[in-house]
Amino acid sequence: MIKTALEKVKKLFLSKEFVVFLVIGAMSATLNFFSGFLFRQIFTGKYFYTISIWVGFTVGSISSFILNRLITFKAFDERIINQIAKFAVVLLFSGIIASGIANILMITYHSLKISFINGKQAETLTRLASIGLTTFFNYPAIKFFSFRKISRK
């Protein structure tokens, strides 16, 4: 049973579809990162770090929805409004996870008084880490929930 589950996970993440998802994800993550980074450069207040995560996340999410719907999953079985709603639910959870990861890493950075990188560099690294780690949640959630194939009988 465990072996079968591991084989399914392996098949899921070692597929051509996952590679396409990663390429599109890299493009969306780039938009996420740079739009959030630009926002953070313009707005420097204390609370704007978390807001910048959400701004970048929103920009990246819109591009991700469009490209994954059209290219990765070719998901035309269901009404687009339903897909958008499901995608939004997945990304809400993903955003919470990303924000949590980034903030935990920043709290750790400040608590440990790390001196070999400055605060801006730490913010950049935590953003990259949070974007990368959420990929492994997003792919199965988007594939099986947002863009699931509807069997027609």
Side-chain angles (χ1 to χ4, degrees):
M1 182 173 181
I2 292 175
K3 186 177 178 182
T4 305
L6 290 175
E7 288 172 3
K8 286 181 180 181
V9 169
K10 184 178 173 182
K11 183 179 177 185
L12 179 68
F13 288 106
L14 295 178
S15 64
K16 179 182 173 191
E17 184 180 77
F18 183 63
V19 172
V20 173
F21 182 83
L22 288 176
V23 170
I24 288 173
M27 293 171 15
S28 297
T30 300
L31 286 170
N32 175 333
F33 179 78
F34 283 110
S35 60
F37 181 79
L38 180 62
F39 182 88
R40 184 66 173 136
Q41 298 310 304
I42 296 168
F43 300 100
T44 59
K46 180 179 179 181
Y47 299 103
F48 286 110
Y49 173 65
T50 300
I51 295 169
S52 75
I53 292 170
W54 284 96
V55 167
F57 188 78
T58 301
V59 171
S61 297
I62 291 168
S63 68
S64 176
F65 176 83
I66 294 167
L67 295 173
N68 279 309
R69 182 176 190 271
L70 297 174
I71 299 168
T72 308
F73 301 109
K74 297 172 182 65
F76 308 109
D77 291 356
E78 192 173 10
R79 293 180 51 203
I80 192 168
I81 193 71
N82 293 344
Q83 291 174 330
I84 290 170
K86 290 178 183 179
F87 198 83
V89 168
V90 170
L91 294 183
L92 174 64
F93 282 104
S94 183
I96 291 167
I97 293 167
S99 183
I101 290 169
N103 281 297
I104 288 168
L105 291 174
M106 283 305 295
I107 290 167
T108 303
Y109 164 79
H110 290 296
S111 297
L112 296 176
K113 297 180 179 16
I114 295 171
S115 61
F116 60 90
I117 60 173
N118 65 37
K120 290 284 188 188
Q121 292 168 327
E123 285 182 3
T124 300
L125 291 173
T126 60
R127 284 184 53 77
L128 290 172
S130 68
I131 291 167
L133 290 172
T134 56
T135 299
F136 295 100
F137 165 77
N138 289 347
Y139 177 65
I142 290 169
K143 176 180 176 71
F144 297 118
F145 180 67
S146 301
F147 295 133
R148 70 180 171 85
K149 301 293 180 189
I150 298 172
S151 60
R152 307 248 189 244
K153 292 184 181 181

